[in-house]
Amino acid sequence: MILPDLFGGHLLMTGDNTQQNYPLHVLVGSMLTHGQLPFWNPFIFGGSPLLAGFNAGAFFPLTGLFVILPDRVAWIALEVILYSVIAIGMYVYLRALGLRTMACFLAAVTFAFAGTVLSQVNHVDMTEGFAALPWMLLAVLYIVRDGRWRWSILLGIGLALVILGGAPEAMLDEALLVAAYAVVSAALRPASWWRVLTRVAAGAALGLSLAAIQWLPGLSAIANSQRSGFGGSFAGGGSFPPRDGVLALVPYLFGGYGHLGESGFFSHYNLPELGIYLGILPVLALLALLHPAWPSRLPARERLAWYIVGLFALLLALGANTPLEHIFNAIPLYGHQRLQSRNMVGVCAAISVLFAGWLDRRTDTADSFVAYDRWMGLVPFGLVLGLSGWAIWAPNSLIRSLAQTTPFPREVHTVRVASLYALAFCAVAAVVVWLRPRLTGRAWMAAAAVFVFVDVGLMAATSQFVKFPSNDVVSGTTSVERALAANLSPGGRFDIFDPQQYSVTRFANGLPDDNILAGLLSVGGYASIVNHGYNTITESHTGGDLNVTALAEGKLDDLDLQDLLTLPEYFLVPLASTPTALALISPMSESGGTDVALPMGYRSNFSDPDYPTYPPPRGALHTGATETWFFGESLAPTQAASLFSEATSAGALVRFGKVLSNGKTKWGPDVTVPKGSQSASGTLPSGPAAGLAMEVFGTVPPHQAVISLGQRAYELDGPLSTAIRPGLWQMRDMTAGPTLFVRVGPVQQFHAVSTGGQKAPRIDVLSSDDNNVSVRVAAPAALVLVRDMAWDVGWGALVSKDGAAAQAVPVTQHGLVQQVRIPQGNDVVTFRYRPPHLLVATVLSGAGLVFLIVLLAGTLVRLRGRRRDGSGQVDGENAAVPQEPELSSTGGPA
């Protein structure tokens, strides 16, 4: 991961890491560097909780790398450390099970660089959780074995790190996995249930205490977020589809990341949430160890434990696709979680443990299982052989049945090639298993190692693991961001409107949350949670979306939304023919590249409740009234028409003109509209323009506008045609890509609302950072001071009148933003944000940290005393712990 940055100048980063996690980590590092606690993020959703929003991992220890190292170096170090900790942790856990070095090494590499851990590489918060998982399993293993309290400490630290990592799915999934392992392990060993319960409970209590600074404010943020009412079917939340289990054998059957020339993923859901491929040999291990007498060095009770735990994790991952959905829904906290498929990490952990046990077999009874192993080795080959035949002879049927989508030539090619690749690996794996009895132990491990490194290595090398964004993206200097910066006043915000995702690639440059890197404020964002009230009005949680009706009604004005980046597809509607009446309008769908005016194509049948696809006709016009429309880009139409909702009741005159980029209008000739007309059309002046204008002398009914460009006709009735109008907005036609619209008028970070009609007071900003801002207001009377930052739980204010002691006052909602009532006088008002339950969370986390420090100090004192008296024991503890009798394959003592 370091080499591409050293030699290619790029960071290995993709998906949510590029769009969310890296910018948030950079923001946290910047705030800490400047002496601010990472509480509030002013850059997304008009302002949003940073610590309580989870995704930033604000107090995860390794986030501190962004304080002491340059951002790019810190990211590399973070990823290297995380994957090293995952692999080392699994290796140590497997060694604790009594398995040999090479078997543990190969299984640890498989777990860390394949399966769910690899597929979630685009979510560093999940990776931070995975890093603690094997260490928590190690702690539980020793708690069950010897019950020493020291293992509760390790368990607690591991749980705290998972929570501090900031991924709610990792917290809940791994907590259930570790709890299941503890229960099953204790049930299969002659261990004291009370001992296990108390030690595990102590570890959980320590972990919750240490991480209280994250989860206490976070639970409050979730309770006030769009997820607060989330529930119902797991299917809507991301349960693993059973048919996609085939990806455990053929990882790119439904497309991949393009490294091998395959199609992009074309099935339902998305590949990062479905990637479970650990390699072929682990699948063989899973099958072989089903035989209870198979001569593995992995203790029989551990084998059984991991089959049970793996099955439990599989059921959780399948979620709504099992009859147990309602039981899962009833689990506290977990029942309202989405993305159940991420429980596949438990399945991958189980298979990795079994894989290590399969690699390390006893030799005393090996000969009796030669035939069994060879038949098991042929099972994946036979399954993939059948799948390959299906892909070659009936690929359309395979795609419709498994991917449940319409086949296209590239998809057909992908399923054929992917299945043949997998067939080759299955064949080689079968040969390796066939030859195993003929090989010495060392030769067998060497052969297995070569196969694993080729199999897992090819998977990692063709995954999103080796994707990287442009350097402009990770430095916040893309052309889009530069254009926004040049057109945003200080304090002004922007948004990107592209709900139909016409331009995903182009809009990725500068799409929230990358705007953090450029220092740009946005009313949108990309995060797992957003304030429910804010999202209800703005509908901005879905990337590229925005509530057009609220925009048109001015409900977003207080947010100082100044720039809107969008496409002409949201202003122009292509028509099948030039209509002569409103009832004859016939929108048409187009593919990309077929229309000069709409280069990204057009989908006329798109339906989204968040905005009107086709706004209703504009209202009736009377003498002297003018209506205007934007084209969404610079065009040079030759004709314009107004189509009426009903016939005119009297004659009228209209004239059409072009709205120029400077806001002025260039008019064409007058057009007579006889009584009873259903439309009016006229010639437009020559030259390019930003929009259309129509002026009326007389009266015309409600109407819609149509322009003609060459042989094509377009209705000016896209979803933004009513909300974004000339006069209130100005169009800045960029050289390539999207179009920028800039709202006319000054940015007002603060303004006063009074009841007596007094003159607007002077407002001076005294100091400002991300969590606090102080202003001086010369208030001629009691008034309401409004701030353009989005309101959320945790904001409060201090008001000092005429130099007196400051008094705490509530910060309440003013639509979407904040307001505070202040008295008459020379007032100093300080807005400040503190996460909910901060005091309690700080005390709990501080107490947990003090406990660890005291414990460490006590341990050091004991060790020092031990060295002084030369004792080989500490407080009577034996250096060696007796092991309980192992179970044989039949369940009795070995």
Side-chain angles (χ1 to χ4, degrees), residues 644-722:
F644 306 135
S645 61
E646 58 189 59
T648 55
S649 58
L653 286 176
V654 302
R655 63 173 179 168
F656 297 96
K658 288 183 174 180
V659 179
L660 306 180
S661 58
N662 60 9
K664 297 181 179 179
T665 302
K666 185 177 181 181
W667 293 103
D670 293 347
V671 177
T672 301
V673 184
K675 177 182 178 180
S677 297
Q678 291 187 319
S679 64
S681 62
T683 302
L684 291 171
S686 60
L692 176 71
M694 182 181 75
E695 187 176 22
V696 174
F697 302 92
T699 299
V700 297
H703 54 282
Q704 295 280 35
V706 174
I707 60 171
S708 296
L709 187 67
Q711 302 299 313
R712 307 296 296 271
Y714 303 90
E715 182 185 15
L716 303 183
D717 193 33
L720 289 178
S721 60
T722 298

Side-chain angles (χ1 to χ4, degrees), residues 287-302:
L287 296 173
L289 267 63
L290 282 171
H291 195 302
W294 201 91
S296 172
R297 292 183 184 274
L298 181 66
R301 57 173 54 92
E302 287 296 336

Side-chain angles (χ1 to χ4, degrees), residues 715-755:
E715 182 185 15
L716 303 183
D717 193 33
L720 289 178
S721 60
T722 298
I724 305 295
R725 301 195 194 189
L728 296 176
W729 295 80
Q730 292 181 346
M731 189 185 83
R732 308 286 168 83
D733 196 1
M734 298 171 67
T735 304
T739 305
L740 180 63
F741 290 89
V742 179
R743 193 170 183 272
V744 176
V747 169
Q748 288 188 306
Q749 293 178 275
F750 295 91
H751 70 273
V753 177
S754 62
T755 58

